[in-house]
Amino acid sequence: MSRVLTDGEEPGFGTFQRVTEAEALARVGVARPTRAHVEALAPLAEQRWFGRYAVLHDEAGVPSEIYFWGFSGD
């Protein structure tokens, strides 16, 4: 992976794109996902050689980590 996309850019080979608050809200029901939501966010990376990342929050709503994942093609 070679580049992080800015909001609005089209996904492409070797890039990562941030999960937006709107995507998180639609997928898991909260705008600030936690580690407990990682599995439900996984389908957002559905293209080969394209990844996603999400800022995960602790139980107090404070950003605590950045989680990266991608589609393996399995």
Side-chain angles (χ1 to χ4, degrees), residues 39-68:
E39 188 174 323
L41 294 172
L44 293 175
E46 55 192 20
Q47 294 175 249
R48 288 191 69 145
W49 294 101
F50 168 66
R52 300 300 302 263
Y53 73 95
V55 176
L56 301 181
H57 299 75
D58 65 17
E59 296 305 319
V62 176
S64 60
E65 65 182 294
I66 299 174
Y67 182 77
F68 288 86

Side-chain angles (χ1 to χ4, degrees), residues 1-71:
M1 305 312 264
S2 61
R3 191 166 71 88
V4 175
L5 301 174
T6 60
D7 290 343
E9 281 190 278
E10 290 296 317
F13 180 84
T15 60
F16 276 102
Q17 187 174 49
R18 179 180 66 90
V19 173
T20 66
E21 286 187 356
E23 286 177 308
L25 191 57
R27 175 67 61 177
V28 298
V30 297
R32 295 180 175 179
T34 67
R35 180 152 277 284
H37 299 113
V38 166
E39 188 174 323
L41 294 172
L44 293 175
E46 55 192 20
Q47 294 175 249
R48 288 191 69 145
W49 294 101
F50 168 66
R52 300 300 302 263
Y53 73 95
V55 176
L56 301 181
H57 299 75
D58 65 17
E59 296 305 319
V62 176
S64 60
E65 65 182 294
I66 299 174
Y67 182 77
F68 288 86
W69 74 98
F71 178 68

